[in-house]
Amino acid sequence: MTKVHKPYVIFEDKDHKFVWLGLDESEYEKGILTNQYLIVDGDKGVLLDPGGYFVFERVYENVKQFINPNNIIAILYSHQDPDVIGSLNLWLDVSPEAKIYVSALWERFLPHIGVGGIKIVDIPDKGMDIKCNNIIIKAIPAHFMHSPGNFHYYDPRAKIYFSGDLGAAVFPEGKWYLFVENFDEHKKLMEGFHKRYIATRKAIDLWLKRIKDLKIDIIAPQHGSIFQGENVKKFIDWLSSLDKVGIDLMEVDFQQE
């Protein structure tokens, strides 16, 4: 049975919204389930990791419920994976005024998916402030927390932190929920991904220093479920508790062989 979930406004304050752009659990959207988000500020929009080819139709139709796609002024990418960037060509057709923000490390790879002559803004390793209509969105470095050129995005008005693949959960078939309720159960769905896809414990330590002064009410990942309230702290504490990840674990495995 096809399960299609409608968009959900996570935050709303006068002329500012942060929107989760729905989900299609059917086989039509191939591969692992992905989340896409839209920030609306006044009459302008910002897309966060709008996704791959298969999700474009659903994301586009849902965006139109909140804003004219011609008024999207920025598309922010956390990293270079195809489930993040694969629909870029399609978005350039419907949102021709949008600037594309991506790590300077990955900008030179975009021509390989057939795009050229677009307004690309290279994000330096140290991150940057991105002016989007009347707000400033912060590009927060999260290098090696998945990709070697990796950024998260923080909306200070909504106090929402878009964490890209950080916080990803892999659900068994037939199970999914938008917001984390039972963190102890949910972390079981995150452990395998984080231990493999975070490069090293040092990356976690560097990231923790970068976010420690941010006021975060909600963490919204690209995969999995959204953390809010006390589960934000529980998630950060859980990441802090991971002693070995990535090559730290592989080093142990190699020594045992």
Side-chain angles (χ1 to χ4, degrees):
M1 179 179 177
T2 299
K3 296 181 181 178
V4 178
H5 303 272
K6 295 181 179 180
Y8 185 85
V9 178
I10 301 172
F11 172 90
E12 183 171 11
D13 177 24
K14 297 181 181 178
D15 60 349
H16 190 80
K17 295 184 179 72
F18 198 109
V19 183
W20 173 76
L21 289 169
L23 190 75
D24 186 345
E25 290 188 73
S26 72
E27 283 297 309
Y28 184 72
E29 294 190 7
K30 310 295 183 184
I32 189 171
L33 299 175
T34 57
N35 300 315
Q36 294 79 32
Y37 302 92
L38 170 70
I39 297 173
V40 178
D41 192 73
D43 64 346
K44 304 299 182 183
V46 177
L47 279 172
L48 302 172
D49 280 4
Y53 173 83
F54 287 108
V55 306
F56 172 78
E57 182 179 356
R58 182 257 301 166
V59 178
Y60 174 68
E61 291 298 326
N62 288 344
V63 163
K64 289 196 298 182
Q65 296 182 34
F66 299 93
I67 196 168
N68 184 332
N70 282 313
N71 287 345
I72 292 174
I73 58 174
I75 301 177
L76 312 183
Y77 287 112
S78 60
H79 62 295
Q80 79 293 349
D81 282 355
D83 64 331
V84 170
I85 207 166
S87 63
L88 176 55
N89 270 321
L90 299 171
W91 282 106
L92 292 176
D93 289 340
V94 298
S95 303
E97 300 304 313
K99 291 182 179 179
I100 309 302
Y101 290 81
V102 67
S103 165
L105 192 65
W106 301 125
E107 180 268 339
R108 66 186 185 275
F109 286 83
L110 297 188
H112 291 278
I113 59 172
V115 299
I118 60 177
K119 295 169 285 223
I120 299 174
V121 180
D122 292 354
I123 305 176
D125 277 346
K126 65 180 180 180
M128 65 184 291
D129 288 346
I130 302 170
K131 182 169 175 51
C132 297
N133 206 30
N134 297 316
I135 62 166
I136 299 292
I137 296 174
K138 293 185 174 295
I140 308 294
H143 307 309
F144 297 100
M145 292 294 279
H146 178 60
S147 166
N150 202 63
F151 288 97
H152 299 159
Y153 297 100
Y154 175 67
D155 177 346
R157 184 165 173 185
K159 296 183 177 62
I160 295 177
Y161 187 92
F162 170 69
S163 60
D165 277 33
L166 192 68
V170 180
F171 291 100
E173 186 174 352
K175 183 174 184 178
W176 178 85
Y177 39 84
L178 180 56
F179 290 96
V180 175
E181 295 182 0
N182 185 328
F183 183 83
D184 287 336
E185 288 300 313
H186 187 73
K187 71 182 181 182
K188 298 174 185 177
L189 306 178
M190 299 191 292
E191 286 174 345
F193 181 92
H194 288 76
K195 288 182 177 180
R196 177 68 190 210
Y197 284 94
I198 297 177
T200 176
R201 169 68 206 198
K202 186 173 182 179
I204 298 176
D205 293 334
L206 291 171
W207 176 75
L208 289 170
K209 290 178 182 177
R210 292 185 179 115
I211 68 158
K212 65 182 178 65
D213 294 326
L214 298 179
K215 295 180 179 179
I216 302 173
D217 289 344
I218 290 173
I219 294 177
Q222 191 224 354
H223 302 290
S225 301
I226 297 169
F227 304 89
Q228 61 180 345
E230 64 179 9
N231 284 325
V232 170
K233 183 177 186 302
K234 286 182 179 181
F235 175 64
I236 294 172
D237 288 346
W238 175 74
L239 281 171
S240 303
S241 73
L242 297 179
D243 183 35
K244 288 182 171 61
V245 294
I247 59 174
D248 309 327
L249 290 171
M250 287 190 169
E251 184 178 13
V252 172
D253 290 341
F254 292 150
Q255 289 173 351
Q256 291 175 346
E257 289 182 358

